[in-house]
Structures are given as structure tokens and as C-alpha cells.
Amino acid sequence: MTINGNLLVAGTERRGSNGEFHGIEAATGKPLPVSFGGASPEEVEQAAEQAWQAFATYRETHLEVRAKFLEKIAEEIEAIGDDLVVRAMAETGLPRGRLEGERARTTGQLRLIAREVREGRFQELRFDAGDPSRKPVAKPDLRLRNVALGPVAVFGASNFPLAFSVAGGDTASALAAGCPVVVKAHSAHPGTSELVGRAVQRAVASTGLHPGTFSLLFDTGFEVGQRLVADSRIRAVGFTGSRRGGTALMEIASKRKQPIPVYAEMSSINPVILFPGALNTRATDIAAAFVTSLVLGAGQFCTNPGLILAVDGAALDAFVARTAELLRDVAPQAMLTPSIAKAYCDGVAKLRQHSEVRSVASGRPGSDFEGTAALFETSADAFLANHELQDEVFGAAGLVVRCRDLQQLEAVLDELEGQLTVALHIADEDEAAARRLVPKLEMLAGRLLVNGFGTGVEVSPAMVHGGPFPATADGRSTSVGTLAIYRFLRPVSYQDFTKALLPAALR
Amino acid sequence: MTINGNLLVAGTERRGSNGEFHGIEAATGKPLPVSFGGASPEEVEQAAEQAWQAFATYRETHLEVRAKFLEKIAEEIEAIGDDLVVRAMAETGLPRGRLEGERARTTGQLRLIAREVREGRFQELRFDAGDPSRKPVAKPDLRLRNVALGPVAVFGASNFPLAFSVAGGDTASALAAGCPVVVKAHSAHPGTSELVGRAVQRAVASTGLHPGTFSLLFDTGFEVGQRLVADSRIRAVGFTGSRRGGTALMEIASKRKQPIPVYAEMSSINPVILFPGALNTRATDIAAAFVTSLVLGAGQFCTNPGLILAVDGAALDAFVARTAELLRDVAPQAMLTPSIAKAYCDGVAKLRQHSEVRSVASGRPGSDFEGTAALFETSADAFLANHELQDEVFGAAGLVVRCRDLQQLEAVLDELEGQLTVALHIADEDEAAARRLVPKLEMLAGRLLVNGFGTGVEVSPAMVHGGPFPATADGRSTSVGTLAIYRFLRPVSYQDFTKALLPAALR
């Protein structure tokens, strides 16, 4: 399969004229074959203009055509074969099993959303018949449907080279809604992006859609992304990345002549609450499950459990001891990029040097490109007094916060920023205490889970992968699951329309 | 019924300690009896804190209780009797018939939303059963519901003293969603606000709700509103007013530690497109309907038809001539406030002096507190070259834009900012041309209507009263109709919850 570093603009390919960069082998920091050309301002313009042109027809594609298109993308991704996994392994350092699973997740997601498109529920069709004889004024005939927002800029995520990238959740739900997509590839996996981009491009062509329905751009810095978000033809943004990057895009979007929604998923430390009964009965089991979740994918999940809250005492000691014991055996793992590895290393060093934080255990040390799992602990008093202890350390680092009692644990919850997930570990006897906290947790996060960890994100109609700021820019939506389609829609009401004028679905 | 100028804070009343102001008789500019005390920062704090306290229980009130509460508010408003209409007439200058109608609309809206609450569809309950035997990993049990965002700040609108004010659409839909409400009364109708505020307060008490579920604050300037939007306990904002006011609130909300949604309805000139066939056959009838809509309520509707687009020619001449003829007979009407009257007068003067604008006709002149209807015309070339001609002139002023042909008319549409409504006047022969424009119009406005004017906004499940910026701050929602409830909700997912821990609706 071809990787030549070209931009894929609306059915064509061309060398980006704005500098170049290489994919980097995550495990070694060495450049991989093929250089990628960054998009110039003109090339960004062209992609946006083509998306805008495509929107005129794509927004009203028959739902069956749109569903088949999504399924075709899935087929085309599968047709790339092992080349995709091999390239993604090299670029991301993620192991084969994970990437094969992620590929299945990505194609499964496309197919689930295709089914949802066929059902068409997201159109939110509403009919309210008129009544010309109503007094004092006639009642108009009113019909409502959701329409697509317009072309969407999607930013590939470093940590999911397939499922949150070129043909990931944002792209799938935007395309499902009727929005063309311009993807800004993440420089952490440009070759993987190109392979998938070509698959989407082929699906566009074989479905007979306007070629502007999809474009893929590379960026040597931040300019391409910033220009896309500022472009008047782009009408919504899907982003997964850092808090700094996400808030910068939010600001650009809010300063446009016409502000647009930014769905940025940014920062979450995913608190895990260990209730006393659960700790008393299962401390070591929970420790084992925690370590598994903490080190999964080198901890590079938005839902990584970075914060453990529990009441101080012997049972918590047992949990910490067992976690430490398991952690010491954890092998170092290649991180997604050298800069992510460095940021992780710096974050861990900061915790290690923090006067109020105790280093409990570390995994086995590795190279400069690898992350070593790390466990820290602090008191609730210190956590409450030092806001920086809430900062996400992206990677396999966990912080245990020892609380005096459940009341202080609740005080810690009150100080937390918005989260993607909160996990509760409970035994029967904890149910009353847990129940009392649920309303607070609903305000804190988009997903609450019992006796588990948040690192597995089921692609389901009932999934919410989102949460109050800074977990995401807009806590009213989800980036995973079928509800994600609604992010790219807005309602329009049709009053006293003649049959011929009405959109087909409302006739 | 009592009007004493007190703040209504969470079941109590007290004199606001931050300056004072009077209601003003709209027709004369003279102060009405009773002075109102503005809320101090401490009093804003108290209202927000009480709303936050109330939220803990109100958010989970049984839907039947919440529905009865909304119905009780409607009853209490009716129980005020004629005092409400009389005071509103004095404060707003609106005639009795309009205010009686608006009261019926307000109570009807509360009852419609109560029915919607009973049905509970807005909870968006979703169930996705788990499967412990699934390979490679067990499938979790996932359930989803919408939860209330939290306390909502509602800004009363000057132009709808009942239907978009203390117990108007924003309040009804926020309360329906489970959000306590703090209303900042509009200083254009403080006595009306107090009467309705007391009605809501009585409904809170007789339903046995936490008194913090509702508060009403007065403001001598802008500080109370700004503080409310900045308060960490307020989680969403409903506003109807000027573009300047709305964008100022948007900015405050976006700079909070946790940004919150602002639903600001701001500025719309509601284009009306007269297609050639319609003009050829019904120019004078359309003119009559246009004048009726233009001058309704002294033109003080968000949906006032301020812009007429048509192809130049004899039929348009006939329309303009008939409109001018009818307009000259229109009596001056008291405007809502002296400052609105002045702003209207200034806006009209600006159009009159504009070198590219021709003054076609005026209604009969009136006092400084009255608005005189006015019709202007310009060419599409001039309209395209002078962006300020898009500025809303709040009141009964209309601008006819003469286009060379439908193509130039389309070019004008392309330059328009977001709108609440677009009206199309068509004959059978116009259907093809109109149909071609519909996709463009869907991008431009929240409601499209055929052979009518947008000034009547039906309270319906299929109504969208909203639209792209600057019509509103967030074109993804509506402020009228049952869909408005969704503005104050966000989804939460519950994974592997035990039955006892689940919210009742999801068990």
C-alpha cells in the first residue's frame, strides 16, 4: 500500500508545499521512511472550499447511501491489511494486539454508526399538524428535522491512531450527520493517517460522492489546524488532545465572525473511589485490576485512572502495598512520541520532587522513549492545598490521595475539575455511602462506573465519552457512541411548507 | 396584589441594598409608583447559593411533582388577575389584547412543558445490556440518561414581559429540566416581574420545593447579570436582548474557570423573499400582510420582518407602493422603554441619512416615546457594499432590497448573518426557484416559512426559535417549544451500576 507523504485533497493527491516532516519510530526516535509535506494556507483553503462544495450535495445524501459509504470505509480499512498495523506499530510503539483491536473497534464503530444512519432517528423528525380553523389565529403546519452543521475539521489524536483519528469516531459521526470532513493528521502517525485517508478517499470515489467530502492534511506545526478552525466554511471541530491545544482552538472558534462549536476532549484524571467495604474485602484484587488499567497502552488513555481516593487505614495500606509490588514488575513501554515520553518523564519528576508527595513505587526503568509506571501518594489536605496535583500526567502515573474519612473524600471531589469518568469500588455495605455521592459525581463526569476502571470505552448507544470542562470543551455531548452524531446537527423548523418544497423526510 | 420593589430570594423577600430605580410608564416616560432595590453582590451570592442548595433535591424531583409545579405556576399567574395586565400595560406600553394573549401564551407554554415533563422523553433513557460472556472482553451494562446542568440564570426580555421573562420559556424549560432558576428582571417591567415572581414563589412553596428553586433579582445596571453569569454555581444562561448584551455575557461565560453554555437570542432581521410569481399575482395582498406583521407590537419582535428581498420590476413597485400607502396610515405606538424608542429613532434616522437608501414612507408621527413605522429601500448592490444595512433596527422599520435577478438575490442571502426566520412568498410557478434556495436558507435560519411572516411563534414540539449567530449564541437549540428543555441537560452514562445505585428512571 502506498505511503508517499502526499496531502489528500478532495479526491486528488499532491505534495504539501509547506515544509516537511517524517514519521518517527516511537521506540527509537528515529525517522521512518517517507517524508510528509505540510499543507500551505492555499492548500488548507482548497480543502475547505472543496468540503463546502461537497456539502451542498452530501448533506442531503440518501441515508442508505450514507450508511453504505460508512460501511465501505470500514471495508477499505480492512482491505489495507497488515501494512496498516505494521506502520501503526512503528509510528506509535503500541503493540500488535492493541492495534488489531483498535482497528476492529474502528470498523465496528463505522458499522454501528452506519446502522444508526439507516434508522435515521438522529434526524429528530417532528410533525405538528396545522389547524386553519383555530381561533384567534390559525395554527400553522410545523415540521422539524435536524440538519447537518456543515464541513467539520477533525484533529487526529496521538493516542488512538485509528479509533480517534482519520476515520475515527469524530469522522464517522460527522459523516453520519451529513458533514464533509477535513482531517488534520496527527504528526505522531502520519503514515497510518495516509493509509486510512486513502481508504476513505477510495470509499468516497466508489460511492460516487463529491470528492470534497473528505480531505486529509498534514501540518508541520499548528498553523494548518488553526487556519482550519478559523475558516468560515468549517462549521464544527472535533479534537482530542492536550488542554492547551484544545483551549487554543476554543478561543479561535469563539472569535470567528460566526463562532462554531468545538468538541475538544482534553484532560481528565479519572478519579477512582475505593470505598471502605470494598477495600476491606478486596484490596489486593482491586490493586491488580488497577495496575492493569493504569499501565494499559503505557497509560496513554484519556480514561487512564490517575487518581485514587480512599479513606486512610490498614486496608488502604494493603492496597497501596499490593499495587506497589505489582508495579515494580511492570516493564517499560514505548510511548507514542518522544515528546510525549519527555512530558511524562517531566510530569513524574515533578511529582517525585513535590514536597507533599511521596513516591511509592516505580516500574522497571527504560529508554528515553519509554515510560516507566509510577505510583505516588499524598494526603487529602495536601491535595486540597496544591491545585497542581490535579494536573494530568499523561501516561502510567497514579496518585493515591489518603483521606481522613468519607467527608474529606467528598471535599476532595468538590475541588476536582470536570472528568470523563469516575469509578466507584464498592461492597454491599458501601452502597448507601456511594449512593449519597452519585449526584455529585453526575455533575463531575460524563460516565460513572462501578467496580471497574474506565479504560475500556464501549462503543454503545448508551455510552457517554465526554464530561464537564476541562475534560471536554462541551459537556453536553459525547465523542463515542451513536449519540455523537448529534454534535454535528442543529434543528430547523419548516412552517406551512408546500409538499414540493419540503425535504423528502418531512413530506 | 403586592408590588413593593423587593428582591425575592429563595422564599424570602428583602429590599435590595444596591441603589434603586422605578418602573417607567412607557407612554409618558414618567416613573410609576414603587421603587425597586437593586441586588448587591451579597444578594446575588445568596440567590446563587440558594439555587445551588435547591439543585441537590430539585434535580431529582419526581416528574409528576415537577409537572404539577409548572402547572401551579400557570394557575398562580392566572390568579393575579387583571392587576398583572394593567401593570404590564403601563410598564411596556403594549395594548391589553396583546398582553392578555401573551399571558395565555405564557400559561399555555407552562402547561405544554408540564405535559412534556410527565412524558419524560427528554430524559433520553437508553439501555444497553451487558454480556459477561463476550470475548475478548465482557460487555458492560450501560445505561444513559440526561441530567440537569445546574442552576440557570434567566434574563427577562424587554419585549415579552410575560412569555420571555420571569416565568417565560427559558424559566419553564430550565425548571422542566430540573434546574433551579435565578431571574434577573428586566428593568423595563419590574412591577410585572415582581407580580409573576411572587406567583412562582407561591408555587414553589405550595409544591413543597426547596425555596432556592427560584429567585428574582433586580439590577440598577449590568452588574447583577454579569455577576450571575460569572458565579460558579450558575451552570447555564438564558438571555433575550441586544447583540451587545448577549455577546458580553458570552464572553464572561467563556472566561469562567468552567465555561458554561449561554443561550442568548440577540439579533435578527428576518429576511422575507418575495418570489416573482407571488409578486405578480398577490403584490398588494402580501403588502397588507407585511404591514400588519411589521407594525405588530410596534415592531418589537425578534421575528420582525426587517428585510424584504425581491427582484426589481413593476410587481415590486406595486408591492412597495401599496406598502407605503398602508404604512402612512399607521398610528404611532408607544415603545417598550424611552431608550428603546430613542434607539429606534436613531436607527431610522441613520437609514434616512444613508446615501444609498431611499426613504419610501413613514407612519404617522408620535411622541418621543412612540415609534413611527418606516419603510426604506435600496439596491442589492448597495446592500452588498454596506454591511451596516444588515444591522437590526429594533422596531417597525423595514428595508426593501431591489435585486437585479434571483441570482443577485441569492448573492444577498450569501452575505447575510444568521437569522431566526426566513419567509418565502411563492406562487406555484416559484416552487422550483424556491426549492433551490431551501438548502441555503436552512443554513441561514432556524425557521423557514412559506407565504407568511415570522412574527407569530407557535409554541409547538416542532418549533425552532433559534438560529446561527448572531441570531442566537448557539444555533443548536431553540428557546420556544418543548425542544427547549434539552438546552439545560447533558448526558451521563452509568456502567455496571447496581440496582440500588442507579437513578430510579434507569432501574
Side-chain angles (χ1 to χ4, degrees):
Chain A
M1 291 284 173
T2 313
I3 301 179
N4 60 19
N6 281 353
L7 309 175
L8 304 179
V9 178
T12 68
E13 59 179 288
R14 71 190 74 170
R15 181 74 193 174
S17 60
N18 196 11
E20 63 169 357
F21 68 103
H22 276 259
I24 299 292
E25 189 173 48
T28 63
K30 293 202 178 114
L32 288 162
V34 183
S35 76
F36 294 80
S40 68
E42 296 69 34
E43 288 152 353
V44 174
E45 277 273 317
Q46 284 158 16
E49 176 59 25
Q50 285 294 312
W52 184 251
Q53 297 296 334
F55 180 56
T57 48
Y58 185 68
R59 67 198 293 276
E60 294 290 4
T61 36
H62 194 288
L63 296 186
E64 181 59 30
V65 173
R66 219 183 283 173
K68 285 223 171 82
F69 170 46
L70 292 167
E71 288 163 348
K72 188 72 187 163
I73 296 174
E75 284 165 35
E76 290 286 356
I77 289 172
E78 286 160 351
I80 305 171
D82 205 46
D83 285 4
L84 182 61
V85 173
V86 169
R87 178 77 191 195
M89 285 169 68
E91 290 186 328
T92 65
L94 294 169
R96 172 175 285 277
R98 148 72 192 269
L99 288 166
E100 286 176 349
E102 191 180 325
R103 179 174 58 185
R105 178 197 180 85
T106 305
T107 54
Q109 184 164 262
L110 285 158
R111 289 183 172 115
L112 175 70
I113 288 181
R115 281 198 295 281
E116 194 77 8
V117 167
R118 262 191 199 98
E119 285 174 17
R121 182 178 156 192
F122 66 89
Q123 298 174 96
E124 188 76 22
L125 305 182
R126 290 170 172 231
F127 300 84
D128 190 13
D131 176 5
S133 66
R134 192 184 66 175
K135 303 290 172 211
V137 287
K139 185 181 174 204
D141 178 273
L142 280 165
R143 300 170 193 224
L144 181 148
R145 68 163 180 164
N146 278 336
V147 301
L149 288 184
V152 174
V154 171
F155 288 73
S158 65
N159 61 341
F160 277 90
L162 301 171
F164 282 89
S165 196
V166 178
D170 283 328
T171 297
S173 45
L175 291 175
C179 302
V181 167
V182 180
V183 175
K184 203 286 286 172
H186 200 289
S187 58
H189 50 265
T192 309
S193 298
E194 184 181 337
L195 287 172
V196 176
R198 289 180 181 279
V200 181
Q201 212 178 32
R202 283 193 295 273
V204 169
S206 66
T207 313
L209 300 172
H210 188 295
T213 305
F214 174 81
S215 290
L216 173 68
L217 303 176
F218 296 108
D219 192 356
T220 54
F222 301 108
E223 198 190 339
V224 169
Q226 290 168 352
R227 280 186 181 271
L228 269 181
V229 176
D231 192 289
S232 64
R233 290 157 293 202
I234 296 295
R235 301 299 172 93
V237 178
F239 169 90
T240 304
S242 72
R243 183 167 179 170
R244 200 168 140 192
T247 51
L249 296 183
M250 288 167 71
E251 194 172 341
I252 293 170
S254 74
K255 287 187 173 154
R256 288 166 52 121
K257 196 178 142 197
Q258 185 176 88
I260 53 172
V262 174
Y263 301 103
E265 187 193 318
M266 298 180 285
S267 166
S268 180
I269 53 176
N270 305 296
V272 176
I273 307 173
L274 307 179
F275 282 84
L279 266 188
N280 281 330
T281 50
R282 312 193 306 266
T284 55
D285 291 348
I286 299 172
F290 169 56
V291 171
T292 302
S293 176
L294 182 73
V295 307
L296 195 68
Q300 300 163 122
F301 284 92
C302 312
T303 48
N304 192 254
L307 189 71
I308 299 278
L309 306 178
V311 175
D312 205 0
L316 180 57
D317 292 345
F319 169 83
V320 171
R322 180 61 183 154
T323 300
E325 193 176 357
L326 292 167
L327 211 67
R328 286 187 199 102
D329 283 339
V330 171
Q333 294 172 79
M335 296 198 75
L336 293 160
T337 69
S339 66
I340 288 175
K342 184 175 182 312
Y344 175 70
C345 189
D346 292 349
V348 165
K350 223 161 134 184
L351 282 172
R352 208 181 296 281
Q353 288 151 20
H354 200 290
S355 61
E356 300 281 359
V357 173
R358 194 172 78 83
S359 179
V360 177
S362 284
R364 300 210 308 268
S367 76
D368 283 355
F369 306 109
E370 290 174 317
T372 296
L375 185 72
F376 299 92
E377 64 172 34
T378 190
S379 69
D381 288 331
F383 187 83
L384 289 168
N386 296 273
H387 188 271
E388 72 277 11
L389 294 178
Q390 278 197 46
D391 292 348
E392 184 183 17
V393 177
F394 188 70
L399 176 63
V400 177
V401 176
R402 291 180 180 263
C403 307
R404 263 194 311 280
D405 47 29
L406 282 177
Q407 207 177 337
Q408 193 182 30
L409 190 151
E410 203 173 328
V412 169
L413 290 174
D414 284 336
E415 287 308 306
L416 289 181
E417 296 190 299
Q419 305 290 336
L420 291 171
T421 71
V422 177
L424 299 88
H425 287 262
I426 59 170
D428 289 352
E429 64 200 88
D430 300 315
E431 243 176 8
R435 196 168 175 193
R436 226 171 41 77
L437 286 188
V438 168
K440 189 158 282 184
L441 303 179
E442 287 168 339
M443 293 298 286
L444 186 61
R447 177 165 57 119
L448 312 181
L449 55 147
V450 169
N451 293 338
F453 293 89
T455 30
V457 183
E458 187 73 18
V459 180
S460 152
M463 173 52 70
V464 176
H465 188 63
F469 184 90
T472 74
D474 188 338
R476 289 167 294 173
S477 78
T478 174
S479 63
V480 176
T482 51
L483 204 55
I485 304 175
Y486 290 81
R487 315 215 279 180
F488 302 112
L489 297 166
R490 45 174 277 272
V492 171
S493 185
Y494 304 81
Q495 182 170 327
D496 292 333
F497 261 47
T498 60
K499 205 176 159 196
L501 270 187
L502 275 170
L506 287 175
R507 267 173 222 159
Chain B
M1 290 285 175
T2 313
I3 301 178
N4 61 18
N6 280 353
L7 309 175
L8 304 180
V9 179
T12 68
E13 58 179 288
R14 71 191 74 169
R15 181 75 192 171
S17 60
N18 195 11
E20 63 169 0
F21 69 103
H22 276 259
I24 299 291
E25 190 174 45
T28 63
K30 293 200 177 116
L32 288 162
V34 181
S35 75
F36 295 79
S40 67
E42 296 70 34
E43 287 152 352
V44 174
E45 277 272 315
Q46 284 158 18
E49 176 60 25
Q50 285 294 313
W52 184 250
Q53 296 296 332
F55 181 56
T57 49
Y58 185 68
R59 69 198 292 276
E60 293 290 4
T61 36
H62 194 286
L63 295 186
E64 180 59 29
V65 172
R66 220 182 283 173
K68 285 224 171 79
F69 168 48
L70 292 166
E71 288 163 348
K72 187 74 186 160
I73 295 173
E75 285 165 34
E76 290 285 356
I77 289 172
E78 285 160 352
I80 304 170
D82 205 46
D83 287 3
L84 182 61
V85 174
V86 169
R87 178 78 191 192
M89 284 168 69
E91 289 184 330
T92 65
L94 294 169
R96 172 174 286 278
R98 148 73 191 267
L99 287 166
E100 286 176 352
E102 190 180 326
R103 179 175 58 185
R105 179 197 179 84
T106 306
T107 54
Q109 182 165 264
L110 285 158
R111 289 182 173 115
L112 174 70
I113 289 181
R115 282 198 295 280
E116 193 78 7
V117 167
R118 261 191 200 99
E119 282 173 19
R121 183 178 155 192
F122 67 89
Q123 299 173 98
E124 189 77 20
L125 305 181
R126 290 170 172 230
F127 300 84
D128 191 14
D131 176 5
S133 67
R134 192 185 66 176
K135 302 292 170 206
V137 287
K139 183 181 175 205
D141 177 274
L142 280 165
R143 300 169 194 226
L144 179 148
R145 68 162 180 162
N146 278 336
V147 301
L149 287 184
V152 174
V154 171
F155 288 72
S158 65
N159 60 341
F160 277 91
L162 301 170
F164 281 89
S165 193
V166 179
D170 283 330
T171 297
S173 46
L175 291 174
C179 302
V181 168
V182 180
V183 175
K184 202 286 285 172
H186 200 290
S187 58
H189 50 264
T192 309
S193 297
E194 184 180 336
L195 287 172
V196 176
R198 288 181 183 278
V200 181
Q201 211 179 35
R202 283 193 295 273
V204 170
S206 66
T207 314
L209 300 173
H210 188 295
T213 304
F214 174 80
S215 290
L216 173 68
L217 303 177
F218 296 108
D219 191 356
T220 54
F222 301 108
E223 198 190 340
V224 168
Q226 290 168 351
R227 280 187 182 272
L228 270 180
V229 176
D231 193 290
S232 65
R233 290 157 293 202
I234 296 294
R235 301 300 172 93
V237 178
F239 170 91
T240 303
S242 71
R243 183 167 178 171
R244 198 167 142 193
T247 51
L249 296 183
M250 286 167 73
E251 194 173 342
I252 293 171
S254 73
K255 287 188 173 154
R256 290 165 50 120
K257 197 178 141 196
Q258 186 177 85
I260 54 172
V262 173
Y263 301 104
E265 187 193 316
M266 298 179 287
S267 169
S268 181
I269 53 176
N270 305 296
V272 176
I273 307 174
L274 307 180
F275 282 83
L279 266 188
N280 281 329
T281 50
R282 310 193 308 266
T284 55
D285 291 348
I286 299 173
F290 168 56
V291 171
T292 302
S293 176
L294 182 73
V295 308
L296 193 71
Q300 300 164 120
F301 284 92
C302 312
T303 49
N304 193 255
L307 189 70
I308 300 277
L309 306 178
V311 176
D312 206 0
L316 180 57
D317 292 344
F319 169 83
V320 170
R322 180 62 183 153
T323 300
E325 191 176 0
L326 292 167
L327 211 67
R328 288 190 196 102
D329 284 339
V330 171
Q333 294 174 79
M335 296 200 74
L336 294 160
T337 69
S339 67
I340 287 174
K342 184 173 181 316
Y344 175 69
C345 190
D346 293 349
V348 166
K350 224 163 133 183
L351 283 172
R352 209 180 295 281
Q353 288 151 21
H354 200 289
S355 62
E356 301 281 2
V357 173
R358 192 173 79 85
S359 179
V360 178
S362 284
R364 300 209 307 269
S367 76
D368 284 355
F369 306 110
E370 291 174 317
T372 295
L375 185 71
F376 300 91
E377 62 172 34
T378 190
S379 68
D381 288 331
F383 188 83
L384 288 168
N386 295 272
H387 189 270
E388 72 279 9
L389 294 179
Q390 278 198 46
D391 292 348
E392 185 183 16
V393 177
F394 189 68
L399 176 63
V400 176
V401 176
R402 290 179 181 265
C403 307
R404 262 194 311 280
D405 48 27
L406 281 176
Q407 208 177 336
Q408 193 182 31
L409 190 151
E410 202 172 330
V412 170
L413 290 174
D414 284 336
E415 285 309 304
L416 290 179
E417 297 189 300
Q419 305 290 336
L420 291 171
T421 70
V422 176
L424 299 89
H425 288 261
I426 59 169
D428 289 352
E429 64 199 87
D430 299 316
E431 242 174 9
R435 197 169 175 194
R436 227 172 38 79
L437 286 187
V438 168
K440 191 159 282 186
L441 303 180
E442 287 168 338
M443 293 299 285
L444 187 61
R447 177 165 56 116
L448 311 182
L449 55 147
V450 169
N451 292 339
F453 293 89
T455 30
V457 184
E458 187 72 19
V459 180
S460 152
M463 173 53 69
V464 176
H465 188 62
F469 184 89
T472 73
D474 187 339
R476 289 166 295 172
S477 78
T478 173
S479 63
V480 176
T482 51
L483 204 55
I485 304 175
Y486 289 81
R487 314 215 280 179
F488 301 113
L489 297 167
R490 46 174 275 271
V492 171
S493 185
Y494 304 82
Q495 181 171 327
D496 291 333
F497 261 48
T498 61
K499 204 176 159 195
L501 269 188
L502 275 171
L506 287 175
R507 264 171 224 156

